Amino acid sequence: MRRGRRLAVDPKLFIQDLQFKKVPVRVYQPTAPSDGRRRDTYEKVCRYIARESESVVVSVEYRLAPEHKYPAAYEDCLNATLHFMKNIEHYGVDPAHIIVSGDSAGGNLAAAVSQTLASRSDLPKLRAQILIYPGLQALDFNLPSYQQNRAVPLLLRERAAFFALQYLNGDASHVEEVLEGSHIPADVRLKYRKWVSADNIPEEFKVRGVKTLVPTDCIAEVYESVKRFCEPNLCPLLAEDAIVLQQPESFILTCEYDVLRDDGLLYKKRLEDNGVPVTWYHIEDGFHGIISLHDYCGFSFPAGKRGLDSIVNFIKGLE
């Protein structure tokens, strides 16, 4: 629905549709001259961020599931990022101020790309990552935020599991097993419990109610079809500490009324535990998707505007 909206020409931006390594992208560049080489960030509310932060913004039109299963979207985002980094002189961007960003599924992809780039000594180091209500794991769909917000639009608990399966296999026939937890063996769940657990969620996020649920026995056939959920490129929350500690300064935005809230909180903890500076912005009256609805077809959510401005301020505050 958002794609169908035709926007008026913005005199403050120069917008181009290009291809980076055969991946379609849209580049937003402020028309006003910059004092120096500009920063870069990827984000859906591209015009606002490009204009307000005076940054070059590249939006990646990665391939979508279920027609294009994992790792297609991840590979597109990685390849587009690599192309940009290797051709950065064409856009007047400071190589020391490159940021990867995304919201929801895009937050997942941004985190995965950031982790992949951590070991690349032949490229500039990322200055930051901006993760906006990201989905970062598919092991546990019964974390407190999933229980509390199971029926809260715009992302319902069942749909979150459905989309994860569509991205993985293009097939959501095992959605019920995933929701009840029978897609992960007990030993695998125990292995990742130190990172994926309600015990790591601050108590103030449990006051709306949490039930202790015991996962049902694992169904081997289901696990065999979804075992790639344990790959960090698909679920970045599961990356080893050696990768997490190499992550750049991070901005994480979460919303109280969002099933993905706890994914963001858990990754925030992992980054902080590994010494990575994290700026966290929590929208107490926010819901999933509120940022992308800023100034959209008559919609106006002050909380979304505050969240968007917090992102702009983070970018402008980077040195």
Side-chain angles (χ1 to χ4, degrees), residues 88 93-98 124-127 319:
I88 198 166
V93 172
D94 185 346
H97 282 90
I98 301 174
K125 292 295 184 183
L126 291 176
R127 178 62 184 87
E319 298 180 353

Side-chain angles (χ1 to χ4, degrees), residues 247-263:
Q247 293 311 289
E249 183 174 350
S250 303
F251 177 98
I252 297 178
L253 184 146
T254 55
C255 291
E256 179 62 27
Y257 300 99
D258 180 7
V259 292
L260 299 184
R261 180 197 69 199
D262 292 351
D263 283 26

Side-chain angles (χ1 to χ4, degrees), residues 78-96:
L78 178 60
N79 287 333
T81 305
L82 292 172
H83 176 88
F84 182 81
M85 297 176 87
K86 292 176 180 178
N87 295 275
I88 198 166
E89 68 276 5
H90 297 309
Y91 304 97
V93 172
D94 185 346

Side-chain angles (χ1 to χ4, degrees), residues 10-28:
D10 190 326
K12 295 184 178 181
L13 296 175
F14 175 59
I15 302 174
Q16 302 179 80
D17 289 328
L18 303 173
Q19 287 202 345
F20 288 178
K21 298 284 286 186
K22 299 183 179 181
V23 179
V25 302
R26 177 165 288 181
V27 181
Y28 303 76

